[in-house]
Amino acid sequence: MAEYDFDVIVIGSGPGGYVAAIRAAQLGLRTACVESRETLGGTCLNVGCIPSKAMLHASEYFDAAANGTFAKMGIKMKPELDLPAMHAQRVDAVKGLTGGIAFLFKKNKVEWLKGLGSFVDANTVAVAGKNHTAKDIVIATGSSVTPLPGVEVDNDKQVVVDSTGALELAKVPGHMVVIGGGVIGLELGSVWRRLGAKVTVVEFLDQILPGMDGDIRKEANKIFKKQGIEFKLSTKVTGVTVKGKKATLTVEPAAGGPAETFKADCVLLSIGRRPNTDGLALDKAGLATNQRGQIEVDGDFRTSVPGVWAIGDVIPGPMLAHKAMDEAIAVAEIIAGHIGIVNRDVIPSVVYTWPEIAGVGLTEERAIDRAGGDKRAVKVGKFPMLANSRAKTNHESDGFVKVIADAKTDRVLGAWIIAVPAGTMIAQVAQAMEFGTTSEDIAYTCHAHPTHSEAIKEAAMAVVSKPTHL
């Protein structure tokens, strides 16, 4: 029997990597985790999910004080922006959480191999000039910003930035142009709009938030416009030039047509993310990527090479931190000889704007498509937040809840929400779907009053009958 340095080596310490390492160690496996950053947590904790939420939360307070929402509730003030302090609380949040992972590594006896990792063979990883062997190796290297031809990112100059640079701006730009109408662009664009920037979103498609339910996409567009964000839809960016502290964008209609140019103080490139597989020397392990740069796996996260596994953003599927975390637990349990399961049909997604936008399961369009195009096979219930007592009282009446169910079985196929706490609300539907619930089950479940979640109950009632409060 071969002797290995470790039972498991995990490459990458993002949400997938660090969770896989901790869970493997909890299950009694000698575990190491490879990470080249100075802190653990990957993109999510260091320059992604966590710091962006810190800025979103702080900017929400500032906006509420500045735009009159506080005044409506009898709180009069004229806020003054202290941007360095706002950045400081962001940095403090990141420091606390990344330090927490380092503590958990020590507590669970996970060894941190500091440096970039690359394969020597299917059981060996080289890190900082030293080889380390393991019976099983898990690739969890995450993703990075997708580049766009004609757009060169230089975060140090703070004129053309990616999502990392957009978190570090030293001053509020006069005009920020966001290239890409997806989740990250809308979240970071919202931060700087609240703090005083003019924000224009340029999107190649005819609507924002690709992949989400059609009603949600249209309503979100209306809400963001009302907040002051401008949109150039069906528009292609063909180039960005920088002169001094100004950028000039060249755009043209996505379907073709005359080009136009306009200037910006800051351009945020946010057209998506791509798997981090460069530098891993996958070929030495006997692996290759597909056309999208992803590593193909089976239902249990096994690659084509025995003993090599992959999870998170490097494999097909939505690039979401919580998806990676669930896959991490599953792969560690499978390696340890247990059963690990991830239900890929019930993975919620959230946009942390104001209000939040969340969904789980099928969109109405996808549900109809799966039914062979038969609209009668799908039933939909909707309920506006304007009719929800808690939302109305809190001056949070934008949005709605939409529940999609199978017309024959009443089984819930999906749900989509625009509401201030949508990211929290969606968990109820996700859990219900995990247990194969019907819309009637949700409709006849007692919900506390007054809460935003009552809108889920009312939307479920609307699937087969009528909501009480509409």
Side-chain angles (χ1 to χ4, degrees):
M1 182 177 178
E3 286 294 328
Y4 299 104
D5 300 328
F6 300 96
D7 296 316
V8 180
I9 292 177
V10 181
I11 307 176
S13 76
Y18 84 75
V19 171
I22 290 171
R23 187 60 180 146
Q26 289 174 341
L27 293 169
L29 301 175
R30 295 173 299 146
T31 307
C33 184
V34 180
E35 177 54 60
S36 62
R37 290 180 188 268
E38 293 299 315
T39 51
L40 299 167
T43 295
C44 178
L45 265 69
N46 286 278
V47 293
C49 314
I50 297 304
S52 66
K53 302 313 166 284
M55 294 297 284
L56 281 158
H57 188 59
S59 65
E60 283 174 9
Y61 281 134
F62 181 84
D63 190 46
N67 71 15
T69 302
F70 278 4
K72 290 178 182 177
M73 295 183 282
I75 307 169
K76 294 185 177 181
M77 62 174 63
K78 187 176 181 180
E80 179 182 346
L81 178 62
D82 185 344
L83 189 55
M86 191 176 286
H87 280 312
Q89 60 90 33
R90 166 182 59 83
V91 172
D92 187 61
V94 170
K95 182 179 179 181
L97 289 169
T98 55
I101 297 174
F103 168 77
L104 289 173
F105 270 24
K106 290 180 181 178
K107 178 183 177 182
N108 291 284
K109 297 181 174 58
V110 175
E111 185 170 338
W112 179 0
L113 303 178
K114 298 183 180 181
L116 291 169
S118 61
F119 282 97
V120 176
D121 57 46
N123 293 106
T124 310
V125 177
V127 184
K130 183 179 179 181
N131 290 348
H132 304 269
T133 61
K135 182 176 182 291
D136 293 283
I137 297 174
V138 180
I139 303 169
T141 45
S143 61
S144 54
V145 175
T146 300
L148 179 65
V151 181
E152 184 178 348
V153 171
D154 187 339
N155 287 330
D156 291 336
K157 292 182 179 179
Q158 299 198 342
V159 179
V160 181
V161 299
D162 58 18
S163 55
T164 299
L167 289 168
E168 300 281 354
L169 298 181
K171 65 178 182 179
V172 179
H175 184 198
M176 169 180 272
V177 174
V178 180
I179 304 175
V183 176
I184 297 172
L186 291 171
E187 287 183 354
L188 293 175
S190 292
V191 167
W192 295 105
R193 195 282 308 165
R194 293 170 192 158
L195 299 181
K198 174 185 175 182
V199 175
T200 303
V201 175
V202 182
E203 170 57 47
F204 181 79
L205 300 177
D206 62 356
Q207 193 52 273
I208 60 174
L209 295 172
M212 290 201 162
D213 185 85
D215 286 342
I216 289 287
R217 299 173 76 188
K218 292 174 184 176
E219 185 67 16
N221 194 320
K222 292 178 185 177
I223 291 171
F224 293 139
K225 281 184 178 179
K226 187 169 66 174
Q227 292 175 358
I229 295 178
E230 298 178 354
F231 292 96
K232 287 183 175 292
L233 303 177
S234 300
T235 302
K236 177 171 62 175
V237 176
T238 57
V240 177
T241 58
V242 176
K243 186 175 182 179
K245 291 294 182 179
K246 290 281 187 179
T248 300
L249 292 93
T250 304
V251 302
E252 61 184 49
E260 64 173 309
T261 62
F262 58 95
K263 295 186 182 299
D265 300 289
C266 181
V267 177
L268 166 59
L269 177 62
S270 181
I271 61 170
R273 301 185 65 80
R274 60 179 179 176
N276 286 333
T277 54
D278 290 346
L280 286 174
L282 293 176
D283 58 314
K284 292 183 179 180
L287 287 172
T289 58
N290 63 20
Q291 291 182 339
R292 302 185 66 180
Q294 301 162 326
I295 300 170
E296 296 284 352
V297 294
D298 67 9
D300 289 332
F301 311 104
R302 296 181 178 89
T303 69
S304 59
V305 177
V308 181
W309 315 70
I311 60 172
D313 290 1
V314 295
I315 69 172
M319 292 182 171
L320 298 169
H322 46 278
K323 167 185 170 286
M325 287 177 166
D326 276 13
E327 292 173 347
I329 293 172
V331 76
E333 292 180 345
I334 293 168
I335 290 171
H338 303 291
I339 296 174
I341 298 173
V342 176
N343 185 351
R344 293 168 177 81
D345 293 329
V346 186
I347 298 176
S349 58
V350 184
V351 188
Y352 294 93
T353 49
W354 200 99
E356 292 179 350
I357 303 165
V360 65
L362 300 180
T363 64
E364 182 180 357
E365 296 82 6
R366 183 62 179 145
I368 292 171
D369 183 60
R370 280 199 180 182
D374 184 2
K375 294 182 180 180
R376 297 169 299 176
V378 176
K379 284 192 174 183
V380 173
K382 291 177 67 175
F383 188 80
M385 297 309 296
L386 183 63
N388 175 267
S389 58
R390 182 64 184 274
K392 183 72 172 177
T393 303
N394 288 8
H395 307 281
E396 300 168 349
S397 56
D398 283 334
F400 60 84
V401 175
K402 178 177 182 178
V403 174
I404 303 156
D406 183 281
K408 289 183 179 180
T409 66
D410 193 37
R411 186 168 181 170
V412 176
L413 303 175
W416 297 86
I417 304 172
I418 299 181
V420 168
T424 301
M425 292 167 67
I426 201 65
Q428 175 196 345
V429 186
Q431 187 170 40
M433 288 178 63
E434 189 69 34
F435 288 92
T437 192
T438 64
S439 71
E440 185 180 52
D441 291 331
I442 296 175
Y444 286 95
T445 297
C446 186
H447 287 62
H449 175 78
T451 61
H452 295 83
S453 290
E454 287 178 284
I456 297 175
K457 175 187 178 80
E458 298 271 12
M461 291 177 67
V463 171
V464 294
S465 180
K466 292 185 68 175
T468 307
H469 294 88
L470 190 63

